[in-house]
Amino acid sequence: MTAEYKVHGDIAVITLNNPPVNGLGFATRLGITDGLAKANADVAVKAVVITGAGKAFSGGADIKEFGSPKALQEPNLLSVILAVENSSKPVVAAVHTVCMGGGLELALGCHYRIAEPGCSVALPEVKLGLIPGAGGTQRLPRVLGVEPALNMIFSGEPIKSEMLAMLPGQKLFDKMAASAESLAEEALAYARSVADARPMPLVRNLPCKHPLGDAYFQFARNMVKGMSKNFPAPAKCVDAVEAATKQKFDVGMATERDIFASLMFTAESKALRHIFMAERAASKIPDVPADTPQRAINSVAVIGAGTMGGGISMNFLNVGIPVKMLEMKQDALDRGIATIRKNYESQVKKGKLKQDKYEQRMSLLSTTLSYDDLKDADMVIEAVFEELGVKEAVFKELDRVMKPGAILASNTSTLDVNKIASFTKRPEDVVGLHFFSPANVMKLLEVVRGAKTAKDVMATVMAVAKKIKKTAVVSGVCDGFIGNRMVEQYGRQGGFLLDEGCTPAQVDKAIEKFGFAMGPFRMGDLAGNDIGWAIRKRRVVEKPDMKYSKTADLLCEKGRFGQKTGAGWYDYVAGKRDAIPNEDVVKMIEEHRKSLGITPRKISDEEIVQRLVYSLVNEAARILEEGIASKASDIDMVYLMGYGFPIYRGGPMNYADQVGLFNVVQAMNRFAQNPLDDAKFWQPAPLLAKLAAEGKTFN
Ligand code: NAI
């Protein structure tokens, strides 16, 4: 049982004990109802306290039970709360540290609540595309008032207990404990003070009204609509809270239940729940146990103070880890430092960073021109030019100077990490850390595991990634790793679509309507079309029979590299990022099409989206079967965090699962018939073909 029962004189205490956050799994729920039964049967007991052991009162549902029948097995949370309400002896919730979701709903079912200051209180279900399902939408407005409750429910954001206790007329907390330390004692004393109170107060009996009535809910609906397009749950929060003000309690509970159940089956909620689990799964590496010892990382060196080196450094400065940057020339260092300063100063100007914090961060940054100054760093990250010869020289120097046990990381985006490791006599200490630009902003970090990378190095860099607030995903060594290897196929499809009749704007619009932050051509302009050009030049040597559209090469020959040259697939006005279609580019595409003897056809948005997204899916299936990614959900995280895939679709693999792999394969077979496309590419990857044939999914 994951709840303890103890009697302290005349008060019974039920302590939830299901680490890490006392999730309300089946055994814990049973522990509560058993404890209540014991307390009610014991004549010596006058009142009951429910609290949580360790780091939470309760964080809500047990994620281990997510989506399984166990989550609903009786006593389910609704039944537990009913048992609490029906207890013949008063029940006091003693809440501390974290009181969220089902945890808060449980507390709201208790007759009284005492809280420590500093406790995080939330109903975060909306973040999983749901609404609270155990009375949260009906009880919270009754104790906090309609408006503050709705704000909490539709945002899902935690609010500190002491802030809530200050709301005028609030009935959420009957008493605030003086401190976290005194909560247990104060809860016992408070339980004694209410032991004889009859009738016992129930939140369900409190009135629930908004003085403006319908007008308020109309306003709330408009506000929510503007803020949460593509996500149905926030608007449903308004419906549920409105029901609390208009329906009898039990009817309102049924309304909440119906809404909850209908949201459970939406693609958006499935996607959000998938991401929630995928994020946690990404941090786990199958053959690196959670208790793998880690190396201490208290100082970092960064080689190269360019675009990436500067951004990478900021990540560490932001969390108080000192950084030493090395360059070949002083002026490169000066430029690097100036850029970091400028970035921080703009944050200060926007009020996002306090002046003293800025100064504190800059004081952690030092520079050098000499490798010998790096010898004490616990980890070094190389971000020099993308040339193997340059990397070789750098890693030989690092091997010479770095102390034993230091982690040697490369930010290379295309080069072979095993080769880089071989430049040292300690390949087990070498790992790829592929940050995305701008490195101080983008959440994604691909951790590239070399053939010889030590397990404790992997465990350490995953922990470091978490510390600097990145979503780390492990990739094996291959050209482009997970993300760029997939995006290459996506870009190739974009090219074929131009050849066959589309304009860049048409392709971008279609995929942006699907939900991508940016279509392939706007993205090319942002990243620099010359990067893809360089890769294609390499590819035509490596794979001379590879089919691809030459339009992007023609564009680059005109010097239209994108935003940095003010012109790419689109035109740009200095200082602005709006993409303005350019007639000459469209003409260039048409002429190229003519030279190939292609009669343009009208291509539907549906075909554009399918070809772009399924090209990602097919390449991802190959990545998965080669073991470059260890799970499909890791690939989803890469695309969601690094490439602007729409969150509400849960990543390419989750999306393909929802469409049905059978249907995905059918579409690929159709695309393979198109003589202007690449029939070989559209052969479904064996893993995909197998899963589709067996009616299975990636995730
Ligand atoms: P950059 O050209 O902005 O910066 C490179 C810096 O390294 C320059 O300041 C240069 O002076 C310095 N440098 C060159 N050789 C050096 C040496 N031997 N010793 C010390 N410093 C040296 O390049 P960027 O964009 O920062 O790229 C750096 C690395 O990051 C490359 O491997 C690149 O592939 C990778 N990368 C770049 C991304 C991007 O979007 N720019 C994204 C992800 C990875």
Side-chain angles (χ1 to χ4, degrees):
M1 203 105 54
T2 48
E4 291 154 9
Y5 179 81
K6 254 193 201 150
V7 178
H8 298 252
D10 51 355
I11 306 296
V13 178
I14 301 170
T15 306
L16 315 183
N17 191 0
N18 182 20
V21 293
N22 300 324
L24 295 165
F26 172 68
T28 310
R29 300 195 301 267
L30 203 58
I32 300 171
T33 49
D34 278 5
L36 282 172
K38 271 188 215 153
N40 279 303
D42 185 345
V43 288
V45 169
K46 296 268 186 299
V48 184
V49 169
I50 299 181
T51 192
K55 288 188 294 185
F57 171 73
S58 169
D62 190 336
I63 60 169
K64 290 188 276 299
E65 284 185 3
F66 251 29
S68 87
K70 267 217 141 152
L72 298 175
Q73 193 175 336
E74 291 285 7
N76 63 31
L77 187 53
L78 284 166
S79 307
V80 172
I81 293 171
L82 207 59
V84 172
E85 281 188 323
N86 289 336
S87 163
S88 58
K89 298 170 186 177
V91 183
V92 177
V95 309
H96 65 89
T97 330
V98 171
C99 177
M100 293 191 184
L104 178 54
E105 291 175 304
L106 172 65
L108 287 167
C110 294
H111 305 111
Y112 302 95
R113 286 156 297 278
I114 173 169
E116 66 159 31
C119 173
S120 290
V121 183
L123 287 174
E125 288 80 356
V126 75
K127 295 191 171 179
L128 299 178
L130 300 169
I131 64 166
T137 65
Q138 304 303 297
R139 288 194 180 89
L140 196 65
R142 287 179 155 83
V143 294
L144 277 192
V146 169
E147 223 166 305
L150 180 54
N151 287 341
M152 273 181 79
I153 293 168
F154 104 79
S155 74
E157 289 299 322
I159 302 193
K160 290 288 177 210
S161 48
E162 63 274 22
M163 303 297 286
L164 292 167
M166 284 188 318
L167 286 174
Q170 69 84 23
K171 295 193 166 61
L172 174 56
F173 299 126
D174 300 283
K175 189 172 165 58
M176 290 301 286
S179 70
E181 293 70 35
S182 65
L183 176 70
E185 273 311 309
E186 289 193 58
L188 287 177
Y190 187 68
R192 277 184 195 112
S193 77
V194 297
D196 297 325
R198 296 293 183 281
M200 293 169 315
L202 289 178
V203 173
R204 62 161 71 215
N205 294 334
L206 295 171
C208 188
K209 279 262 164 309
H210 191 285
L212 299 179
D214 287 346
Y216 167 70
F217 287 103
Q218 194 49 49
F219 157 78
R221 262 192 196 94
N222 289 341
M223 181 181 66
V224 167
K225 209 160 142 199
M227 286 166 68
S228 58
K229 76 178 195 311
N230 300 321
F231 291 95
K236 295 290 180 189
C237 295
V238 183
D239 294 353
V241 171
E242 184 174 29
T245 68
K246 292 192 168 157
Q247 300 174 344
K248 289 217 170 73
F249 181 80
D250 284 328
V251 182
M253 286 295 284
T255 302
E256 177 190 271
R257 208 61 221 155
D258 287 347
I259 296 174
F260 179 86
S262 69
L263 286 172
M264 200 74 184
F265 292 100
T266 58
E268 293 81 4
S269 175
K270 283 184 190 159
L272 291 171
R273 281 177 282 145
H274 168 66
I275 295 170
F276 182 84
M277 302 302 270
E279 188 151 19
R280 279 153 188 77
S283 64
K284 300 191 176 77
I285 311 172
D287 64 332
V288 180
D291 59 358
T292 304
Q294 294 175 15
R295 304 185 188 182
I297 305 295
N298 296 316
S299 62
V300 169
V302 173
I303 317 294
T307 310
M308 295 306 287
I312 291 169
S313 299
M314 288 175 73
N315 286 304
F316 292 93
L317 301 175
N318 293 350
V319 296
I321 297 178
V323 175
K324 186 162 278 181
M325 286 204 302
L326 178 142
E327 268 281 354
M328 291 177 300
K329 296 213 178 85
Q330 186 60 41
D331 61 340
L333 279 177
D334 294 343
R335 269 198 309 276
I337 299 256
T339 308
I340 294 178
R341 270 196 187 285
K342 213 175 89 198
N343 274 331
Y344 278 139
E345 274 162 12
S346 108
Q347 289 178 23
V348 172
K349 243 181 241 155
K350 288 182 196 148
K352 287 185 187 160
L353 181 68
K354 295 231 166 73
Q355 182 72 26
D356 58 335
K357 275 259 162 74
Y358 159 48
E359 279 155 21
Q360 185 198 337
R361 288 178 191 185
M362 287 310 291
S363 72
L364 294 172
L365 180 62
S366 60
T367 60
T368 182
L369 297 170
S370 157
Y371 276 90
D372 291 310
D373 285 344
L374 307 182
K375 62 182 192 312
D376 295 327
D378 296 320
M379 175 158 91
V380 54
I381 304 173
E382 165 277 313
V384 302
F385 300 139
E386 187 75 341
E387 281 168 40
L388 200 62
V390 183
K391 307 274 190 205
E392 177 170 5
V394 169
F395 273 81
K396 285 197 162 141
E397 278 297 273
L398 293 176
D399 195 23
R400 181 179 68 79
V401 299
M402 300 304 291
K403 67 179 179 191
I407 292 177
L408 315 185
S410 171
N411 180 48
T412 180
S413 42
T414 56
L415 300 173
D416 183 340
V417 171
N418 290 329
K419 220 175 249 167
I420 293 176
S422 76
F423 299 142
T424 73
K425 290 192 235 20
R426 38 175 136 174
E428 67 282 3
D429 294 339
V430 177
V431 66
L433 289 182
H434 184 212
F435 288 84
F436 288 71
S437 183
N440 53 318
V441 177
M442 294 293 287
K443 284 281 288 174
L444 180 63
L445 176 65
E446 278 182 322
V447 173
V448 186
R449 183 179 188 173
K452 296 191 178 153
T453 308
K455 288 187 181 177
D456 67 335
V457 169
M458 292 304 292
T460 305
V461 295
M462 294 307 276
V464 167
K466 193 165 176 194
K467 176 141 203 204
I468 61 173
K469 302 185 178 75
K470 298 288 175 198
T471 300
V473 176
V474 178
S475 169
V477 176
C478 71
D479 200 330
F481 313 129
I482 296 173
N484 284 342
R485 177 167 154 184
M486 286 163 67
V487 89
E488 187 173 342
Q489 297 306 332
Y490 168 89
R492 226 155 55 88
Q493 277 304 314
F496 293 142
L497 287 164
L498 297 187
D499 285 352
E500 290 171 42
C502 291
T503 62
Q506 188 195 349
V507 175
D508 283 348
K509 266 202 201 112
I511 195 80
E512 285 161 17
K513 212 163 85 198
F514 173 80
F516 265 77
M518 230 182 257
F521 300 105
R522 282 216 292 144
M523 193 172 87
D525 278 356
L526 179 68
N529 295 311
D530 50 322
I531 296 179
W533 198 23
I535 293 173
R536 283 192 301 280
K537 282 179 187 160
R538 218 169 70 211
R539 288 283 179 270
V540 293
V541 178
E542 293 163 358
K543 303 182 190 164
D545 58 343
M546 186 187 77
K547 221 169 152 177
Y548 78 100
S549 163
K550 308 272 184 309
T551 44
D553 294 352
L554 298 174
L555 186 82
C556 288
E557 280 165 21
K558 291 180 188 295
R560 299 185 69 104
F561 292 164
Q563 289 190 18
K564 60 184 168 190
T565 56
W569 294 104
Y570 302 92
D571 287 333
Y572 297 89
V573 176
K576 286 198 177 165
R577 289 183 177 265
D578 305 299
I580 307 158
N582 173 287
E583 271 182 32
D584 292 339
V585 170
V586 174
K587 228 177 258 155
M588 177 197 86
I589 295 167
E590 282 167 359
E591 275 162 21
H592 178 60
R593 201 181 284 145
K594 217 181 269 167
S595 77
L596 296 172
I598 299 172
T599 313
R601 68 182 170 100
K602 195 168 162 18
I603 299 178
S604 70
D605 283 3
E606 189 190 6
E607 180 179 339
I608 294 172
V609 167
Q610 287 187 347
R611 283 171 66 177
L612 291 177
V613 176
Y614 296 170
S615 71
L616 296 175
V617 172
N618 206 23
E619 192 61 25
R622 295 192 177 111
I623 285 172
L624 202 53
E625 71 196 4
E626 287 169 24
I628 296 296
S630 64
K631 6 180 198 346
S633 63
D634 282 358
I635 296 172
D636 284 334
M637 289 317 288
V638 166
Y639 254 75
L640 292 161
M641 298 296 139
Y643 293 83
F645 200 93
I647 297 288
Y648 59 94
R649 298 193 191 272
M653 307 308 259
N654 178 73
Y655 177 71
D657 282 348
Q658 302 226 353
V659 170
L661 299 188
F662 176 84
N663 297 320
V664 172
V665 166
Q666 292 284 307
M668 287 183 185
N669 292 338
R670 253 190 346 264
F671 302 150
Q673 307 295 316
N674 175 356
L676 297 175
D677 203 326
D678 182 351
K680 210 164 117 203
F681 172 78
W682 283 121
Q683 293 312 305
L687 173 69
L688 171 57
K690 181 167 169 283
L691 292 173
E694 293 170 354
K696 292 190 176 151
T697 57
F698 284 121
N699 281 299

